[in-house]
Structure formats: C-alpha cells, structure tokens
Amino acid sequence: MARIGILGGTFSPIHNGHIYIAKEAMEQLCFDELWFLPAGIPPHKKIRSDISPLERLTMCEVAVDALTGARVIDDEIWKRTPSYTYETLECFHQKYPQHEFFFIIGEDSLDSFHQWVKPERICELATILVATRSANIANGLLEDKVHQVEAQFHGHFQLITSEYVDVSSTMLREKLAHRESIEEYVPKGVWEYIRMHRLYEDIMGLNKDLEKEIRKELKEHLKKSRYEHTLGVTYTACALAMRYNYPLEVARFAGLLHDCAKYLSDKEQLEYCHKHRIQVTEAEEKAPYLLHAKIGAYMAQHQYKIEDEELIHAIEVHTTGCPNMSLLDKILFTADYIEPNREEAPRLEDIRGIAFQDLDKAVYMILEDSIQYVKETNRPMDPTTLESFEYYKTQLHQ
Ligand SMILES: [Fe+2]
Ligand SMILES: [Fe+2]
C-alpha cells in the first residue's frame, strides 16, 4: 500500500506556498508520492478564461519537475463539468485500490468544508490534512474546530504545519496585471514561463481603432507589394503566436508595424536618423536599408504611441535578430521570412514547417541563410546578424 498525498487547487498560478505545503506534507507524513491535482472547473471558484487549462497545467509541471516524489495528475483539468472532490477520490480508489489517500486542504477551507458536495463521502475516501502555521495551533482554537468538523462528518482530520510566508495566487495575479515581478514567489521555471508568454498581463492600448489607423496609413504610404507582405507577416505572426502561446494582439501589431518605415529611401532614412538622433552604426551607414527596423521601432513608439517595450524591441531587431531573443522577437523575425508571399529563399519550405515545430531552429536556419545570401550578393554584413547566428548555433548544439 502506498501513501499518497493530494494537493488540489486551481494553481493560477502555482506558487512557493503550494510547493512549501507539498514538501512539508511529504516530510511530516512520509508519503510515497504527492500528487498535484489542478482543477478543471472548480465548483466554488471563478476562474479566468484568458488563462487556459494547458497553461495552468504546464506551470504545475514546470514547478513540480524538481520536486522529488511529486507529480502532476491531469484527471480533473480536462473535464468540461465541475470537478467534485468526492468524484475524483472515488475515481482514484477505483483506479488505485491499493493506495491510501490523504487530501490536503488549507485552514480557510475548514470553515466551508460543510458546503463541499458529499463531505461524508470525502471523509470515507481520504484522511483530510489541514495545512496551517504552527503559530495558529498554539491557542488550541484550530484543534477544537478540527474536532468539530471531524465529528460532524465522521472523518479523520489531521493538522500539518507549513511556515511559508503569506502568498496567494490572487495577489500574484494582481502584481502581474501591473507588470510587476513575482520572481520571489514562484519557482524559477514558472516565472520564466509566465514572463515569456506574458500570462495575466493586461495588454494596454492595442485596440481596433489604432489598428484601423495604422492599416490606413500603411496602405497609403507603402508600395502595394510591401503592404501585401506586411499583411502576410501579420497573419503569420498571429499563427506563430497561437502555436507558441503568445498574446495575439501584440503579435498582430508587431507584424503590422514591422516595415512601417519602408517607404523611406536610403537617403531619407539617414536623414530621419540624423533628425531624430537615432544612432547609425558603421554597417548601417554602408547599408541604410537596415535602418528601417530602428526607424520603424521609433515610429511605432512616437508616431503610433505604442508603449509595449517588447513590441518595440521586436520591430527593432526584425532584420538582424539578436542574441537571446524574446518569444515575440523570434515570432516576428521568423514570420517576416516565411510569410506566404515570400517566394525565393533556399530551404523556405523546410523552414516554414520547422517554424511551427522548433522556433529556435527556424531562427538559426534563417540567420544561416541570410548570412549566406549577404555573402553571395557582396552586401555589407551587419555584425549583429553574425552575433545572433553564433548565439543560436551554440544554443542548438549544446
Ligand atoms: Fe523589414
Ligand atoms: Fe518585412
């Protein structure tokens, strides 16, 4: 018989408080395994629709990865109906009759335990562990409460202590909405995942009116073929954003604006930079067409009042790439190369397929082919392209 601890929750997002409880429970009760059980549709809680079950599940998996003896169970998360604990426990008993189950709840859930569906049945199927801080046990009040609930539902309840500082998912979501870091409250991998995919962030200002205005201006200023290319990049960037789970509106605006400065001639671009004090490198001096990325980023910021730094950066590096690109940098860089109107590029078909399987590899191949093209056509080489190529070469061959 194996002893299994179960920690349920919405985990939106999972945080160090959860991890701490899991660790303490494992230690104090000598579990063979601890199961994190992310809820699908929890019966008592409203859940944000902009965070998908897959995202919550992935965050749990990332967090639990380094925790020996713990794993994530996805039995509830894909259900389309509310998850009731008694049902899940019945399922576990059927699937694993040899196991003994311990269900962990927070101290606050003790007060509402009578409102859960079939609390007696839950008590039949598992020992209930109530997680609290040791300071809360000192005065005996909590133990009295536990005894009351235990008697009411004929269950077996036990207190476990966890000393982790106060942290709640609600507080973390609020911080993230304001683009504040929550690095200190979540495992490293979870923070990286949230940052990369910009989860819980309120994306401001990228609305339909602005999009209309930009489309109108681009149509007026850009050559027809360039405008078609722009739309191709926009849709491809959106498709990649769907594939790699990135906010669509940001990808769409990046695509729309990436070549917004392309209507300027080489001479005009140099003049524009001079006038607006945009630094011009030696390579750009020799090949002013490279400048449209920098100028585009400047225009996005000052003319279209885009404040999203990640978006501005993606426009800025869309021709040369850069080492350690953000997810949006890579999406735009790749979309620019593979959009459906592009015809002549070696390995284009391969890169199109690979872009949807392994974005880093696609970026590497594009950089490799771009360098080859620059060499063959005797154009001046931008050192950033070479640096980016070396970076991704090392990354991929590690
Ligand atoms: Fe461009
Ligand atoms: Fe482009």
Side-chain angles (χ1 to χ4, degrees):
M1 183 187 279
R3 289 159 64 84
I4 310 289
I6 302 170
L7 183 59
T10 43
F11 300 117
S12 187
I14 189 165
H15 54 67
N16 290 342
H18 299 126
I19 302 295
Y20 214 81
I21 290 175
K23 277 187 186 165
E24 305 255 310
M26 278 200 276
E27 257 180 50
Q28 291 171 34
L29 284 121
C30 306
F31 291 141
D32 294 293
E33 271 187 11
L34 190 125
W35 295 355
F36 282 80
L37 179 70
I41 305 170
H44 303 294
K45 260 189 192 170
K46 249 192 152 9
I47 201 159
R48 279 170 70 130
S49 57
D50 58 337
I51 302 297
S52 70
L54 182 63
E55 285 163 338
R56 289 188 291 116
L57 185 70
T58 308
M59 286 189 279
C60 285
E61 279 167 350
V62 169
V64 167
D65 200 36
L67 209 58
T68 319
R71 63 185 175 118
V72 182
I73 302 288
D74 64 358
D75 285 38
E76 282 194 350
I77 201 153
W78 300 117
K79 274 172 77 177
R80 303 194 60 111
T81 49
S83 310
Y84 296 111
T85 303
Y86 86 91
E87 281 182 336
T88 308
L89 286 173
E90 280 180 346
C91 248
F92 288 164
H93 267 271
Q94 259 175 17
K95 270 199 208 168
Y96 315 102
Q98 73 280 23
H99 292 350
E100 185 185 359
F101 293 102
F102 298 79
F103 194 81
I104 305 166
I105 63 173
E107 188 191 328
D108 49 334
S109 300
L110 198 60
D111 295 322
S112 60
F113 191 70
H114 65 282
Q115 291 171 335
W116 291 31
V117 177
K118 300 199 184 177
E120 295 90 350
R121 185 75 184 124
I122 297 173
C123 290
E124 265 171 37
L125 297 162
T127 300
I128 310 297
L129 302 179
V130 184
T132 183
R133 292 211 205 166
S134 50
N136 298 359
I137 298 181
N139 59 18
L141 288 176
L142 188 61
E143 273 186 76
D144 289 348
K145 211 194 278 180
V146 165
H147 290 316
Q148 270 176 28
V149 183
E150 202 169 33
Q152 193 180 352
F153 299 111
H154 314 292
H156 181 212
F157 284 61
Q158 203 174 323
L159 286 167
I160 51 166
T161 50
S162 170
E163 301 305 321
Y164 190 72
V165 283
D166 275 338
V167 50
S168 73
S169 297
T170 314
M171 166 191 124
L172 299 184
R173 288 195 300 269
E174 271 162 24
K175 280 182 176 289
L176 288 166
H178 297 104
R179 305 207 63 184
E180 284 175 42
S181 168
I182 60 157
E183 201 172 358
E184 59 190 293
Y185 303 108
V186 294
K188 188 169 174 268
V190 173
W191 171 237
E192 283 167 2
Y193 185 81
I194 290 174
R195 269 295 301 131
M196 179 189 280
H197 301 280
R198 303 180 68 170
L199 306 186
Y200 305 98
E201 199 182 305
D202 281 343
I203 307 282
M204 311 279 270
L206 303 180
N207 56 43
K208 283 276 162 212
D209 288 340
L210 180 61
E211 188 180 337
K212 251 191 212 163
E213 181 195 326
I214 293 171
R215 278 178 187 260
K216 192 171 155 254
E217 291 210 11
L218 294 178
K219 208 171 178 179
E220 243 171 63
H221 289 127
L222 297 177
K223 277 200 307 199
K224 191 170 178 293
S225 58
R226 179 63 52 186
Y227 184 67
E228 291 296 324
H229 161 74
T230 296
L231 294 184
V233 174
T234 304
Y235 293 126
T236 309
C238 283
L240 288 169
M242 286 179 206
R243 161 64 182 87
Y244 292 105
N245 192 19
Y246 188 84
L248 277 188
E249 61 269 54
V250 187
R252 179 160 55 238
F253 275 81
L256 273 177
L257 286 170
H258 84 285
D259 273 347
C260 69
K262 266 283 189 188
Y263 68 92
L264 297 171
S265 68
D266 284 1
K267 189 168 164 266
E268 285 169 330
Q269 290 190 60
L270 285 166
E271 282 167 3
Y272 190 99
C273 288
H274 186 69
K275 187 176 166 197
H276 296 279
R277 301 187 180 190
I278 300 171
Q279 224 191 348
V280 179
T281 65
E282 211 175 298
E284 288 161 346
E285 194 87 52
K286 286 184 203 149
Y289 63 89
L290 288 168
L291 281 171
H292 79 276
K294 263 187 189 173
I295 299 174
Y298 185 91
M299 283 178 171
Q301 217 172 350
H302 295 92
Q303 192 174 328
Y304 298 109
K305 308 290 177 214
I306 302 281
E307 289 176 10
D308 194 298
E309 283 166 27
E310 205 157 293
L311 201 166
I312 305 287
H313 186 264
I315 298 175
E316 200 173 321
V317 300
H318 86 262
T319 36
T320 57
C322 69
N324 195 15
M325 292 156 97
S326 74
L327 179 53
L328 181 66
D329 292 341
K330 289 186 266 192
I331 285 175
L332 183 61
F333 181 78
T334 306
D336 193 23
Y337 197 82
I338 65 167
E339 65 96 3
N341 300 297
R342 277 235 196 256
E343 280 166 358
E344 289 158 34
R347 304 197 290 180
L348 186 56
E349 291 314 312
D350 290 341
I351 295 174
R352 278 183 173 140
I354 288 166
F356 287 85
Q357 293 160 18
D358 183 343
L359 194 54
D360 280 358
K361 189 169 177 193
V363 167
Y364 168 74
M365 289 171 80
I366 295 168
L367 286 164
E368 191 176 35
D369 287 358
S370 304
I371 289 169
Q372 185 67 21
Y373 174 76
V374 169
K375 278 182 189 160
E376 279 168 11
T377 52
N378 280 325
R379 288 172 176 232
M381 183 77 72
D382 188 283
T384 319
T385 310
L386 286 174
E387 267 174 56
S388 318
F389 174 69
E390 287 305 323
Y391 177 88
Y392 283 96
K393 191 173 164 185
T394 319
Q395 284 289 107
L396 284 174
H397 295 102
Q398 253 171 11

